[in-house]
Amino acid sequence: MLQVKDLSIAFEGKGGIARVLDRVSLEIAPGEIVGLVGESGSGKSVLSYAISGVLDPAAVVVGGVIEWRGRPAEFLRERRVPKLPIAQVFQSPRTSLNPTRTIGRQLADVAGAARVASLLRSVRLAEARASAYPAELSGGQCQRVSIALALGREPELLVADEPTTGLDVLTEAAILDLIADLARQRGMATLLVTHDLALAVARCSRIVVMHAGQVVESAQARAIVSGARHPYTAALRTCVPQFSATAAMLSAIPGQLPDLTTALPVCRFAARCERHCDDCDSAPLPVVRIDHDHLVHCRHPLC
């Protein structure tokens, strides 16, 4: 349904040109829930904004395309909100809502007054909440309203960018359950953006892992758990308590993300990788097919 092909995006600032996405590719099938995983600063949100058509005006599309059902999505270069059935839920529900307008008026602006009650019911909020202002709702309720606003566009693809940021564990589970239920009921594809690998494994059928603006691995969730082949993905697993038998097995990834305004190596994980060899610096970065839907962007993948 959606294909991102070799997308490269840069920002020009005081520190120079930051190449925040480097030849990123991914695809999402109808009804599929895909997890986009990586550290803060890996380019996940920029990619989600590009897909949703809400890129910052300062962003420069260096190369690549986004296709919707096999046709180029012109909104990427024209910088306008797409007329395609794509909607986004942002990570800060309070700041994404207008504090001066009631919930009902905001929903009516998007979907019409006749649909306000049904949209509130669809996200399990009482119809009486239509007269409330965002400040009168909890964080979880504000996120439900954000989801209702997204549903008002009748999306075939929902992009959820860290949708549970700042929520407690129980509310987080409830919001994720709601998104999964809505996706199933509506046959809606979902791109779930998160830094939490365990959450992505639990909630998604397929996972795309990013590091410093590059996709490093994509595979079915079970393959990421049992057979991660990129050194970065394997290192991410050691940071997650759910994947470690004991606390002693937990470890941090050495080093830090590279400065994206400097000259960058072919593989941006090179400086942090214990498997780095001289030939890793030879362009282009190879894509190794482990299985029909398991790809690793690495010259020396794990066995």
Side-chain angles (χ1 to χ4, degrees), residues 9-169:
I9 291 176
F11 287 84
E12 185 171 1
K14 294 181 179 178
I17 297 175
R19 288 153 289 182
V20 295
L21 295 185
D22 178 43
R23 293 169 294 174
V24 169
S25 296
L26 65 78
E27 58 185 37
I28 304 172
E32 185 180 28
I33 300 180
V34 176
L36 184 62
V37 179
E39 296 170 86
S40 296
S42 62
K44 306 186 304 298
S45 290
V46 173
L47 178 56
S48 76
Y49 298 158
I51 291 171
S52 300
V54 291
L55 265 179
D56 188 287
V60 177
V61 179
V62 178
V65 296
I66 295 177
E67 293 185 353
W68 179 262
R69 299 192 181 280
R71 306 183 70 174
E74 298 300 332
F75 68 82
L76 178 64
R77 297 184 184 278
E78 294 177 4
R79 299 303 173 83
R80 55 182 172 79
V81 176
K83 296 180 180 179
L84 300 173
I86 302 173
Q88 180 154 2
V89 175
F90 298 93
Q91 59 182 283
S92 301
R94 287 196 188 280
T95 57
S96 64
L97 298 176
N98 187 332
T100 67
R101 296 170 69 84
T102 65
I103 298 307
R105 288 186 66 187
Q106 293 185 61
L107 288 171
D109 288 342
V110 173
R115 295 183 59 202
V116 170
S118 64
L119 284 171
L120 287 172
R121 288 195 300 270
S122 71
V123 295
R124 301 164 194 167
L125 283 176
E127 294 177 30
R129 287 301 189 184
S131 61
Y133 288 87
E136 299 176 289
L137 303 181
S138 68
Q141 289 172 327
C142 284
Q143 194 59 291
R144 289 174 186 270
V145 174
S146 296
I147 295 170
L149 285 167
L151 295 178
R153 298 193 65 189
E154 297 291 343
E156 294 178 29
L157 171 62
L158 179 69
V159 179
D161 182 13
E162 300 274 10
T164 58
T165 296
L167 303 181
D168 62 75
V169 174

Side-chain angles (χ1 to χ4, degrees), residues 3 60 70-71 82 105 112 124 143 160 164 169 176 183 206-207 214 237 243 258 284 286 297 299:
Q3 283 189 306
V60 177
R71 306 183 70 174
R105 288 186 66 187
R124 301 164 194 167
Q143 194 59 291
T164 58
V169 174
L176 292 173
R206 190 161 53 86
I207 294 174
Q214 293 179 325
R237 291 182 70 254
F243 301 143
H297 298 246
R299 200 171 296 279

Side-chain angles (χ1 to χ4, degrees), residues 266-283:
V266 174
C267 172
R268 297 183 178 184
F269 188 61
R272 310 173 76 182
C273 184
E274 295 179 353
R275 298 172 63 85
H276 177 257
C277 300
D278 289 342
D279 63 346
C280 292
D281 301 324
S282 302

